[in-house]
């Protein structure tokens, strides 16, 4: 895929059920390296896109409330996100381009999606406008976060063409 096929400078992805899925039933996100796998077609699609200096800018914005509940540390959650990105794209963005919300669901904050805080932080880090940003996610809260940040939104199902997958 050539850069001009996506009319954006920055693509931000949600993590869970967008780029990866958890292998532990009933667990919303992985807590260890062996507890996740990439979603279908993710590596195929993302490895065809040039990332970094000569391509698109890459970010990840992920709600990680399991940190607040003591199921994993923020460092482990970040490491799992970085491993997911490297596995999916062959590229690792700068630390500031990987944002996670560590707060409990019951605690109001400006970063938890549907709030746009994580997306705004990533756009600010790169100096990219909302008009130049696409957020890819799988949930209504992701779409609301994109809208709140002024960015475009694409459903993961459409972006990765999961309708082609045979279940």
């Amino acid at each position: 895929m050539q850069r001009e096929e996506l009319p954006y400078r920055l693509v931000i992805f949600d993590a869970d059920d967008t780029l990866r899925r958890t292998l532990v039933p009933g667990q919303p996100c992985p807590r260890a390296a062996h507890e996740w796998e990439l979603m279908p077609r993710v590596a195929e699609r993302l490895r065809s896109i040039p990332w970094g200096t000569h391509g698109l800018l890459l970010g990840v914005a992920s709600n990680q409330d399991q940190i607040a509940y003591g199921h994993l540390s923020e460092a482990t959650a970040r490491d799992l996100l970085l491993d997911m990105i490297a596995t999916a794209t062959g590229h690792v963005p700068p630390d500031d381009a990987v944002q996670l919300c560590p707060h409990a669901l019951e605690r109001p904050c400006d970063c938890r999606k549907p709030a746009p805080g994580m997306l705004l932080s990533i756009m600010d880090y790169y100096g990219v406008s909302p008009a130049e940003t696409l957020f890819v996610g799988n949930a209504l809260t992701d779409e609301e976060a994109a809208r709140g940040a002024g960015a475009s939104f694409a459903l993961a199902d459409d972006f990765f063409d999961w309708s082609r997958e045979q279940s």
Side-chain angles (χ1 to χ4, degrees), residues 9-82:
R9 288 184 54 216
L10 169 61
V11 182
I12 303 171
F13 294 93
D14 170 51
D16 296 303
D17 298 322
T18 295
L19 296 182
R20 70 181 178 192
R21 63 179 154 216
T22 304
L23 299 174
V24 179
Q27 190 171 292
C29 64
R31 299 173 186 167
H34 65 279
E35 294 182 353
W36 66 273
E37 67 183 4
L38 289 177
M39 296 290 289
R41 302 179 48 79
V42 165
E44 174 187 342
R45 175 77 195 268
L46 296 186
R47 286 183 176 260
S48 73
I49 299 171
W51 300 103
T53 308
H54 303 293
L56 293 170
L57 301 170
L58 173 65
V60 171
S62 181
N63 291 344
Q64 293 289 309
D65 56 81
Q66 298 295 291
I67 296 166
Y69 302 126
H71 296 300
L72 74 166
S73 70
E74 188 166 340
T76 297
R78 178 168 290 283
D79 287 346
L80 290 168
L81 290 171
L82 292 172

Side-chain angles (χ1 to χ4, degrees), residues 57-144:
L57 301 170
L58 173 65
V60 171
S62 181
N63 291 344
Q64 293 289 309
D65 56 81
Q66 298 295 291
I67 296 166
Y69 302 126
H71 296 300
L72 74 166
S73 70
E74 188 166 340
T76 297
R78 178 168 290 283
D79 287 346
L80 290 168
L81 290 171
L82 292 172
D83 188 37
M84 171 200 68
I85 297 163
T87 301
T89 67
H91 171 79
V92 178
D95 280 346
D96 287 342
V98 179
Q99 296 286 313
L100 60 86
C101 173
H103 304 115
L105 293 170
E106 319 64 57
R107 180 177 173 224
C109 66
D110 294 330
C111 52
R112 170 176 304 291
K113 297 174 290 174
M118 291 186 284
L119 278 63
L120 294 170
S121 291
I122 296 168
M123 289 187 287
D124 184 57
Y125 169 75
Y126 281 125
V128 173
S129 73
E132 300 172 295
T133 303
L134 174 66
F135 183 45
V136 179
N138 69 307
L140 180 59
T141 53
D142 296 326
E143 186 173 7
E144 290 174 24

